[in-house]
Amino acid sequence: MVVCGDDGLAHRLAGELRNVYREPVVLVVPGGRAEGRPEGRPCPVSRAAGPVGGSGPAAGGPAGATADDDAGGRPLPPIREVLSDSPTETALLHAGIGRAAALALLYEDDETNLRAALAARRLSPGLRLVVRMYNRKLGQHMEELLDQAALLAEPGMDRAALEASTTVLSDADTAAPALAATAVAGTSKVVQADGLLLCAAERTPPGRGRVPDPGLCTLALLSSTASDPAGAEGSDASGSQGPLMLPDDRTVRAAAGRGTVVLETVRHTAPARPPRRPSRRGAPFGELFSGRLRWALAGIVASVLALTVTTTVLTDADPVHAAYLTLLDLFSINDPAVDEPVTRQVLQLLAGLVGLALLPLLVAGALEALGTFRATGALRRPPRGLSGHVVLLGLGKVGARVLSRLRELDIPVVCVEEDPEARGLPLARRLGVPVVLGDVTEEGVLESAKVHRAHALLALTSSDTTNLEATLSARTLKADLRVALRLYDDDFATAVHRTLRAAHPTALTRSRSVTHLAAPAFAGAMMGRQVLGAIPVERKVLVFAALLVAGHPRFEGRTVAEAFRPGAWRIVALDTADPAARRPDLASAHRDGEQPQLLWDLHPGYVLRPEDRVVVAATRGGLADLLGRGTAPRGTPPGPRRRPAGPGRREAPGDTPGASAAGT
């Protein structure tokens, strides 16, 4: 596996592939990696000696640079590091792209990823590509283009291999549901599948003698104690005190006093908001002028009509001529009625007075119209009586995606952003979301966002200290505020979570890392499987993936109950669509006229057929075992594992993981 990137996601993904899937990895990173702080703890690596050569066990280096061992004492595959400031063809060749099964391009710049993807497809047409892109539309077009290039290079490629040959993902899209779910009443994590938004809802321990409601299915049992004695906060290091993933029914019934995480559809319980007006181009006529100005103009028109009728009655002029004379007098462009009857003179004076009143109204109308047109592109301010909303800090890549998710659930949001050129400001303007421009650490900014009356706070800026300072400031204004803050470093996130939980035991506090949430989806795509989403359970992760039954001996010919392995994986849904008419991407939204095709209430006695496609909830280790690339069972003699050929890739004799890692 070759992983190229310039931020913490690359290191997190490399560790995921190595520690979970036990794959040898070549990591291509800039030479100045030590100058930046990656998101999460960097994994152990055997660094290459330079851009061309390499050292360490993967490249035949010194014996002292051995790989780490896993929890069972078995050696883990190596991670070799290649230093290159950009993913050039030379760097890709030095990383061994010709022998690699998959390549992940994770640079923050979309253009850099596109250039590297085109070069990689030219160098290795059958290579599986996983590309990180923020631009959804461009990513969809590029995925089709790269798939077409792979099909031209390998005409005999089957459909399943073609669908897995190129995958375009966004870390912001992958992490947004889990971040936005903190603001949804009764939920803490969500995943999108088949047009539905599913949540993993935490439920309190049932009373004595009661069995917890499993919902669609029980995903996990929460930690047995409120304060983790291991100090790991529900991570893999928590041992028996940590959460139990995918328990069976017997374990759930025996787990008295432990909370559960169950799968159910998202239901927003906040008060319904009035429907938003449909967006129109420009400003509507009724919003151009204020009510008082419109009433004043109506009075002027009524006065003109009254003068016209009076002139018609008291003089011998017809109605059209009377209206003409009245307008001339109104605008003071008629001759003085010196030699005319007194009635005509009085009417001319009255029309002149109405004309004097009309002039300031015309000026006021022009100014109000100008101000209305200028306000159509301006940001809204939070309404005075707003309450029960979500305060979102940061409108960058992640914040914009989370804002979109919240508005899809019709949750009221107030955004706070310091940069007037932030990526998510046009989206907030288009959705009509109130925005406070200012530094969240300055006094009065959170008060302007009405955080003291908010339901939740999502601190998603790119600075750990800013997110933490905003959280502490918000807690001084509202002690029971629900908070989710984005933190890069895992150790720091754990310490912050424990401290805030101890200081505010009645308030919900969550710390999230974008790379921690996104890495399982990228790793699953590199293994050639579609990952619908990842749900964190305390500090563990459950992955939802779409798998074909064919080729999986643990599924094929077995019932749903027999295919269930507690603590590893569980089938949660069945694709009922005809195999020829299946949607290739179950995570995307439905198009017009499409009907849901996933059956979630699946009978445990249903026998799985080879042509079936199922949705599986699995731990990261369970998914690796399902893919057939995990740790060999106990008692298996050691030896090199042969790598299954990638899409359109012919496996040569002796093509082992070690050779793949060694490169050229």
Side-chain angles (χ1 to χ4, degrees):
M1 300 291 175
V2 179
V3 178
C4 304
D6 56 357
D7 64 355
L9 180 58
H11 297 275
R12 175 78 68 177
L13 177 57
E16 187 89 6
L17 293 170
R18 176 204 193 214
N19 300 328
V20 177
Y21 296 94
R22 297 184 58 81
E23 292 290 336
V25 180
V26 178
L27 183 61
V28 181
V29 291
R33 179 179 66 87
E35 299 175 1
R37 182 167 58 88
E39 187 170 291
R41 183 183 301 170
C43 53
V45 298
S46 54
R47 173 172 297 192
V52 178
S55 63
T66 58
D68 294 342
D69 294 343
D70 61 11
R74 295 175 294 270
L76 290 173
I79 294 181
R80 185 171 66 91
E81 215 174 83
V82 174
L83 304 182
S84 178
D85 292 334
S86 60
T88 61
E89 292 188 8
T90 303
L92 294 176
L93 290 174
H94 292 330
I97 191 175
R99 297 186 178 184
L103 167 67
L105 299 168
L106 309 178
Y107 294 90
E108 291 189 336
D109 181 37
D110 286 356
E111 182 179 353
T112 302
N113 292 328
L114 289 180
R115 291 176 180 270
L118 294 173
R121 182 62 79 209
R122 184 173 62 255
L123 295 173
S124 182
L127 181 69
R128 183 181 299 126
L129 290 177
V130 178
V131 185
R132 172 188 185 182
M133 290 200 67
Y134 182 81
N135 190 327
R136 297 174 177 175
K137 184 178 296 185
L138 179 59
Q140 181 179 0
H141 293 321
M142 289 304 301
E143 185 172 350
E144 296 174 356
L145 177 63
L146 293 170
D147 282 346
Q148 185 66 23
L151 185 60
L152 291 176
E154 297 286 344
M157 186 182 302
D158 58 12
R159 180 182 176 185
L162 180 62
E163 290 178 356
S165 65
T166 306
T167 305
V168 177
L169 295 175
S170 168
D171 56 330
D173 282 335
T174 305
L179 294 170
T182 320
V184 181
T187 68
S188 58
K189 301 96 183 174
V190 293
V191 64
Q192 183 168 329
D194 197 28
L196 297 177
L197 201 60
L198 303 170
C199 68
E202 294 184 7
R203 296 187 178 175
T204 56
R208 183 180 297 275
R210 293 186 178 183
V211 178
D213 183 7
L216 293 177
C217 67
T218 301
L219 297 178
L221 293 173
L222 297 175
S223 297
S224 59
T225 59
S227 58
D228 188 357
E233 307 302 332
S235 66
D236 294 333
S238 301
S240 60
Q241 301 291 346
L244 297 179
M245 312 297 282
L246 301 173
D248 55 16
D249 295 339
R250 181 183 302 177
T251 304
V252 173
R253 288 192 297 266
R258 297 186 67 165
T260 59
V261 178
V262 300
L263 185 67
E264 61 184 20
T265 57
V266 169
R267 295 181 179 90
H268 182 43
T269 58
R273 305 182 65 210
R276 301 191 302 270
R277 295 182 178 180
S279 59
R280 310 182 202 173
R281 298 197 175 205
F285 179 79
E287 298 180 0
L288 284 176
F289 310 111
S290 64
R292 290 182 297 177
L293 183 59
R294 281 180 284 170
W295 279 110
L297 290 174
I300 294 293
V301 173
S303 300
V304 172
L305 293 176
L307 289 173
T308 300
V309 173
T310 304
T311 302
T312 303
V313 172
L314 298 180
T315 64
D316 56 354
D318 60 273
V320 177
H321 186 64
Y324 176 68
L325 292 177
T326 301
L327 292 176
L328 291 178
D329 295 335
L330 184 70
F331 294 109
S332 301
I333 57 178
N334 198 5
D335 293 334
V338 177
D339 298 330
E340 298 186 22
V342 176
T343 303
R344 175 73 183 92
Q345 293 176 351
V346 172
L347 292 174
Q348 189 178 58
L349 290 175
L350 292 176
L353 291 176
V354 174
L356 292 177
L358 178 62
L359 181 61
L361 291 179
L362 293 177
V363 175
L367 294 176
E368 283 197 3
L370 178 62
T372 301
F373 279 116
R374 294 182 61 185
T376 55
L379 296 171
R380 288 185 54 198
R381 299 288 298 176
R384 181 170 299 178
L386 182 63
S387 62
H389 57 287
V390 175
V391 177
L392 174 62
L393 309 183
L395 283 176
K397 293 196 303 182
V398 177
R401 292 292 193 249
V402 173
L403 173 61
S404 178
R405 291 279 184 171
L406 292 174
R407 295 306 300 127
E408 288 175 2
L409 297 174
D410 204 27
I411 299 176
V413 185
V414 174
C415 301
V416 180
E417 175 57 52
E418 180 181 6
D419 183 11
E421 303 294 332
R423 188 189 296 264
L425 284 180
L427 175 64
R429 185 182 295 110
R430 185 172 66 253
L431 297 177
V433 175
V435 177
V436 177
L437 286 177
D439 187 355
V440 70
T441 60
E442 294 181 355
E443 186 176 358
V445 174
L446 286 176
E447 289 84 347
S448 300
K450 308 293 189 296
V451 73
H452 55 285
R453 295 202 296 264
H455 170 68
L457 172 70
L458 298 178
L460 305 180
T461 70
S462 57
S463 171
D464 285 2
T465 56
T466 299
N467 294 334
L468 179 58
E469 184 176 353
T471 299
L472 297 177
S473 300
R475 280 284 166 80
T476 60
L477 300 174
K478 187 177 181 180
D480 60 344
L481 182 67
R482 180 188 298 226
V483 172
L485 64 160
R486 173 187 176 188
L487 298 175
Y488 285 86
D489 186 79
D490 278 349
D491 293 336
F492 182 55
T494 301
V496 168
H497 175 72
R498 295 179 63 192
T499 304
L500 291 178
R501 186 181 61 184
H504 304 276
T506 62
L508 178 64
T509 304
R510 293 288 184 265
S511 59
R512 295 287 181 257
S513 169
V514 174
T515 59
H516 182 74
L517 298 174
F522 281 85
M526 292 191 73
M527 304 302 296
R529 297 297 184 269
Q530 183 194 9
V531 175
L532 303 178
I535 287 182
V537 178
E538 296 186 13
R539 300 200 66 80
K540 292 185 177 182
V541 174
L542 276 178
V543 181
F544 288 78
L547 300 177
L548 289 174
V549 172
H552 287 279
R554 297 178 179 89
F555 290 166
E556 192 172 346
R558 298 174 180 262
T559 64
V560 173
E562 292 172 346
F564 172 41
R565 176 174 293 183
W569 63 74
R570 179 173 190 164
I571 296 177
V572 296
L574 173 69
D575 191 348
T576 59
D578 186 81
R582 285 173 179 166
R583 297 171 56 213
D585 185 8
L586 287 175
S588 62
H590 278 165
R591 298 179 180 176
D592 295 339
E594 286 187 343
Q595 298 296 326
Q597 61 190 47
L598 289 183
L599 176 62
W600 295 93
D601 189 12
L602 192 58
H603 192 278
Y606 175 80
V607 179
L608 299 172
R609 301 171 299 174
E611 62 270 18
D612 287 338
R613 181 170 66 166
V614 295
V615 175
V616 177
T619 62
R620 292 180 296 181
L623 183 60
D625 194 11
L626 275 178
L627 298 182
R629 303 168 74 105
T631 306
R634 292 186 180 273
T636 302
R641 292 181 294 114
R642 294 184 60 83
R643 178 185 306 278
R649 176 174 176 268
R650 298 180 178 87
E651 185 178 26
D655 189 7
T656 62
S660 175
T664 52

